Amino acid sequence: MPKGRWGAGRACLVVGADGAVGAIAGALSAAGFAAKRVAAEAEALAELETGPFAAVVASQKLGPVAVAGIVARAAQQYPLVPTVVVGAIGSVQEAVDAMQLGAADYLVAPVEDSALLQRLRRVLERVAEPSPAGTAMDFMGLVGTSAAMRRLLGTIDRISRYKANVLLLGESGTGKELIARALHARGPRHGSLFVPVNCATLGHDILENELFGHERGAFTGAVTQKRGLVEAADGGTLLLDEVAELPLVVQAKLLTFLDDGAFRRVGSVKRLTADVRIIAATNVDLERAVVEGRFRRDLFFRLRVFPIL
């Protein structure tokens, strides 16, 4: 168990306005870390520009879009910096969501100091493990000497320079997200955010809201305006994992966005624009889904500008 001044002056960024993250900042300081606390996403992104940090701790209460932005920017600025998300409930789904955003760990508040430091040490040791010899860091860990792998890496290298949409097809566990991250990291958008979303983990009734956001008062419980993941990814890349799970109504709105880069938040008549490269991934036979009426034919062809199988 870490004790005393284990932090040795290493900087940690703690993001959130609630008491739980305040207590975490205090525990990190007591352990010898230089804990920098900010309240909101914008402040966190500004701090990440000035870093470096040994770790980032973010409150789930910031919301999934803000957490996604913080995780993505931390990974972009400092690839080996882990982000730990702190939530208020111990639901498996919330932990899974945090991990899918790219978090290295998920803790439930309130967190005992000893448990916090023990978990933090674990994630710091994990990211500090040396990479295997010959790892190609600019391909995000994708390595191999087989003819098939060389062809894949050549394809990534060739199409990453373009801004056109990409469709990744393949069975679950074949590394589609790694390919998407490599395309982003090697392409002209590498200086902006990579925002992943798994369409299968979000209910059909909230997917439109998560992707395009909403205005205050758009529906019961919408007490504040919310940016969607499309806005969060402006200038960068949005990965739509399990894209076949998009309901037809959201497919139509996504197609409109792909046509001219314009969209409207739920409950708004104001036309907004965003410059986003879409990478879609699925293990479903989309051509069959088109024939069966479960996926729009026009959207399928807009997504498969560059298909990778």
Side-chain angles (χ1 to χ4, degrees):
M1 180 189 306
K3 294 180 180 179
R5 309 297 291 175
W6 169 66
R10 287 179 290 180
C12 283
L13 181 63
V14 183
V15 192
D18 52 287
V21 293
I24 287 172
L28 291 173
S29 296
F33 286 93
K36 172 72 175 182
R37 185 185 176 190
V38 296
E41 177 192 8
E43 298 170 89
L45 297 182
E47 289 292 335
L48 286 169
E49 294 291 338
T50 66
F53 292 95
V56 178
V57 179
S59 171
Q60 185 75 28
K61 291 184 178 180
L62 294 165
V65 174
V67 172
I70 292 166
V71 171
R73 182 62 59 82
Q76 178 185 330
Q77 294 288 108
Y78 316 105
L80 296 182
V81 171
T83 301
V84 176
V85 175
V86 180
I89 58 175
S91 79
V92 173
Q93 187 59 59
E94 189 168 279
V96 169
D97 290 346
M99 297 301 188
Q100 287 177 337
L101 290 175
D105 203 354
Y106 176 85
L107 302 176
V108 180
V111 187
E112 292 186 1
D113 292 0
S114 59
L116 167 67
L117 298 177
Q118 189 174 58
R119 296 280 282 272
L120 184 57
R121 167 169 279 181
R122 191 176 302 157
V123 296
L124 288 174
E125 289 175 346
R126 189 163 67 234
V127 300
E129 291 175 355
S131 300
T135 297
M137 293 302 294
D138 54 352
F139 277 96
M140 306 301 288
L142 289 168
V143 294
T145 58
S146 69
M149 181 57 77
R150 288 200 302 271
R151 284 195 299 271
L152 173 61
L153 297 180
T155 299
I156 292 172
D157 189 54
R158 185 175 67 256
I159 70 175
S160 62
R161 68 195 70 173
Y162 302 106
K163 294 184 178 181
N165 302 324
V166 177
L167 179 61
L168 303 177
L169 302 170
E171 296 297 323
S172 297
T174 53
K176 294 190 290 295
E177 183 169 341
L178 278 177
I179 294 172
R181 289 184 179 275
L183 286 167
H184 174 78
R186 294 181 66 82
R189 296 172 180 263
H190 68 273
S192 299
L193 293 183
F194 174 89
V195 179
V197 57
N198 189 318
C199 302
T201 64
L202 299 174
H204 283 192
D205 55 337
I206 65 170
L207 262 168
E208 180 180 357
N209 180 46
E210 289 298 321
L211 288 176
F212 299 103
H214 65 249
E215 293 293 337
R216 179 181 178 182
F219 50 83
T220 302
V223 295
T224 60
Q225 183 190 81
K226 174 184 175 180
R227 289 193 311 149
L229 295 173
V230 165
E231 286 185 76
D234 189 18
T237 301
L238 177 65
L239 170 62
L240 296 175
D241 201 5
E242 304 296 344
V243 70
E245 298 300 320
L246 286 176
L248 288 170
V249 64
V250 181
Q251 290 181 34
K253 192 162 185 176
L254 177 61
L255 180 65
T256 299
F257 172 69
L258 291 177
D259 283 340
D260 59 6
F263 66 97
R264 291 180 174 85
R265 296 190 186 117
V266 175
S268 175
V269 296
K270 183 179 179 181
R271 184 177 183 271
L272 302 174
T273 60
D275 176 22
V276 179
R277 182 189 201 179
I278 300 293
I279 299 178
T282 183
N283 60 1
V284 171
D285 184 343
L286 279 188
E287 292 186 276
R288 175 176 291 182
V290 168
V291 172
E292 294 173 352
R294 295 182 289 113
F295 202 84
R296 293 181 62 112
R297 182 179 299 274
D298 44 6
L299 178 59
F300 171 67
F301 286 109
R302 289 303 304 272
L303 292 174
R304 70 183 299 274
V305 177
F306 285 117
I308 299 180
L309 286 75

